[in-house]
Amino acid sequence: MSTQSQSEVRRSIAEARTIVVKVGSSSLTSSSGHLDPERLFNLVSALAQTVRMDARIVLVSSGAIAAGFGPLGFDSRPTDVATQQAAASVGQGLLMSQYEAAFARYGLKVGQILITARDTIQATQYRNVQRTLNRLLDLGVVPIVNENDALASNEIRFGDNDRLSALVANIVRADALILLTDVDGLYTAPPKEPDAKQIPYVPNVLDTLDNVRIGGTGSGVGTGGMVTKLEAARVAAVSGIPSVLTKATNAGPALMGDRVGTVFAPIKRRGTSRRLWIGFAADPRGTLIADAGAAKAIRGGHASLLSAGVVGVTGEFSAGDPVLIVDEQGNKLARGLSGFDSEEIPATLGRTSAQLRKLLGSEYAHPLVHRDDLVLL
Ligand SMILES: Nc1ncnc2c1ncn2[C@@H]1O[C@H](COP(=O)(O)OP(=O)(O)O)[C@@H](O)[C@H]1O
Ligand SMILES: N[C@@H](CCC(=O)OP(=O)(O)O)C(=O)O
């Protein structure tokens, strides 16, 4: 895909029909742990104008913990998980009631979707999330998404909403992702440093990390900092989705395609949402080790992984679960959906389809990972 100019990418954002907008805690709340209704209303106002111009918007909003700890009497964002979850439970309700009232002033309805990381990993859950979001958009509702903080387990948790927003952009097949935060874009170094300069355009987000020094959160209420925002921009770019990173007060101009913040060009054509799920959302449950010949075939694209080319398996998984495919040196080649349960695989290793049919029956004579279920890394 040839690199687009900044103007072309900005124009594609202005023309986007389905847009995921992510707003961080620091843009909605004060450091005392309360919502800032004026900033929230200004954001809603910019989004409502875009919806009026026939766009479909999914809002991924952080701020539940940051809006909940003040009313609970804490001076700063709690650090232990149980108190964060309690604060999120209080703050999420406050957040939604403010959004509901603010969007209602523009005649718009909102719907709440609380997602756990698990929902983006399991195929059936993923499809449920997808169906509900699409239906809400068809009904003209603005879905408001957050991580289900009150119930998310610590081991498997997004923690910040940046990566979640890139996954949601994939789930709804968005045409653009807007990341709203408290700084006006990506800088060459954390913006408090004197030599930090803003970068207006990133043609290939896979190249930027060498030239940019990135730090963590600058506020007492955000979590991910710039690391997770760049990760979100990367997932969007390789999914064929352009993104803009800017401060929340620039939401309107960013959506109009004006030159604000940092814009990231898409670097691949869009894949199907199922392939994107295999590539980004699904958490591999095990590993298949490909021999040199199979590794070469996989790298070339379009090849299935056959049992004959697999020399080892690790992990416990069922047929249909996502697995990582590596070469014998441990280099990651691809992700895919296993065609077999992990315990069935040792008996199939190194065998051709004809041998499998003869030894184990015709139900075993299929690829270990079919090419349609395989995404190169
Ligand atoms: N290279 C960089 N460019 C821009 N911001 C950076 C950079 N490195 C670190 N940051 C910090 O990232 C912060 C934004 O992340 P965060 O506080 O998690 O925001 P949010 O709550 O909006 O998700 C900025 O306030 C800034 O201090
Ligand atoms: N789901 C959490 C998000 C936590 C958080 O601070 O995220 P962010 O501000 O996007 O870095 C919440 O609503 O509090």
Side-chain angles (χ1 to χ4, degrees):
M1 189 172 171
S2 64
T3 314
Q4 291 174 285
S5 69
Q6 179 179 178
S7 307
E8 285 169 329
V9 182
R10 299 265 186 197
R11 197 174 328 119
S12 70
I13 289 168
E15 289 166 359
R17 169 115 211 283
T18 305
I19 306 159
V20 172
V21 177
K22 185 259 164 174
V23 61
S25 309
S26 54
S27 304
L28 295 170
T29 58
S30 62
S31 54
S32 65
H34 291 90
L35 278 170
D36 181 334
E38 197 181 320
R39 285 198 286 168
L40 185 140
F41 182 75
N42 289 339
L43 168 68
V44 167
S45 168
L47 301 183
Q49 276 170 36
T50 311
V51 174
R52 272 202 187 138
M53 291 190 289
D54 224 20
R56 293 147 43 106
I57 292 216
V58 178
L59 176 60
V60 177
S61 177
S62 300
I65 300 172
F69 73 76
L72 282 175
F74 297 104
D75 293 334
S76 57
R77 196 179 196 278
T79 47
D80 70 290
V81 175
T83 317
Q84 283 179 357
Q85 293 187 306
S89 166
V90 171
Q92 182 65 26
L94 296 168
L95 199 55
M96 282 309 292
S97 84
Q98 298 251 347
Y99 275 129
E100 199 272 329
F103 275 104
R105 285 169 71 173
Y106 295 93
L108 291 170
K109 294 202 168 39
V110 297
Q112 172 181 265
I113 304 250
L114 299 178
I115 297 184
T116 60
R118 244 176 249 287
D119 297 326
T120 62
I121 291 167
Q122 285 167 0
T124 45
Q125 291 293 94
Y126 182 91
R127 278 195 291 273
N128 281 343
V129 173
Q130 188 169 47
R131 195 179 50 199
T132 311
L133 281 170
N134 285 333
R135 192 76 191 110
L136 284 167
L137 289 170
D138 291 345
L139 291 167
V141 174
V142 178
I144 301 183
V145 179
N146 195 357
E147 182 162 20
N148 193 348
D149 295 304
L151 298 182
S153 74
N154 208 22
E155 299 76 47
I156 169 169
R157 195 174 171 201
F158 288 108
D160 63 89
N161 274 338
D162 299 317
R163 283 162 302 168
L164 175 64
S165 69
L167 290 177
V168 170
N170 271 312
I171 290 173
V172 297
R173 303 186 56 68
D175 306 303
L177 171 66
I178 314 283
L179 297 164
L180 300 174
T181 182
D182 59 350
V183 278
D184 189 19
L186 176 66
Y187 282 70
T188 50
K192 285 195 181 112
E193 296 189 15
D195 58 339
K197 289 196 180 52
Q198 203 214 309
I199 303 169
Y201 177 49
V202 177
N204 187 336
V205 65
L206 301 181
D207 296 340
T208 51
L209 296 176
D210 299 339
N211 324 324
V212 173
R213 267 185 302 125
I214 35 180
T217 174
S219 67
V221 289
T223 50
M226 216 22 72
V227 180
T228 50
K229 281 171 201 27
L230 280 180
E231 177 65 12
R234 185 188 72 84
V235 171
V238 301
S239 316
I241 302 170
S243 57
V244 182
L245 170 69
T246 189
K247 57 184 174 196
T249 47
N250 276 342
L255 287 158
M256 303 278 282
D258 292 353
R259 290 196 176 221
V260 291
T262 303
V263 69
F264 298 86
I267 51 183
K268 272 193 190 159
R269 288 191 195 288
R270 279 222 298 235
T272 66
S273 94
R274 175 180 153 78
R275 292 179 73 78
L276 292 166
W277 177 76
I278 298 170
F280 301 120
D283 225 11
R285 301 290 168 84
T287 304
L288 300 174
I289 303 163
D291 68 14
K296 191 164 174 237
I298 298 281
R299 279 201 188 93
H302 313 301
S304 295
L305 180 66
L306 305 176
S307 302
V310 175
V311 292
V313 54
T314 61
E316 273 180 39
F317 49 86
S318 306
D321 278 347
V323 289
L324 186 65
I325 302 167
V326 299
D327 65 15
E328 288 181 271
Q329 289 70 47
N331 300 310
K332 293 178 183 174
L333 300 171
R335 282 183 180 201
L337 303 182
S338 176
F340 294 99
D341 294 348
S342 52
E343 62 203 30
E344 295 171 327
I345 294 175
T348 71
L349 295 186
R351 305 206 189 272
T352 63
S353 298
Q355 288 170 329
L356 290 174
R357 186 175 297 109
K358 206 164 154 200
L359 285 169
L360 302 166
S362 56
E363 67 270 30
Y364 286 89
H366 60 78
L368 194 35
V369 180
H370 192 276
R371 61 170 182 260
D372 291 345
D373 296 334
L374 193 147
V375 175
L376 291 180
L377 294 177

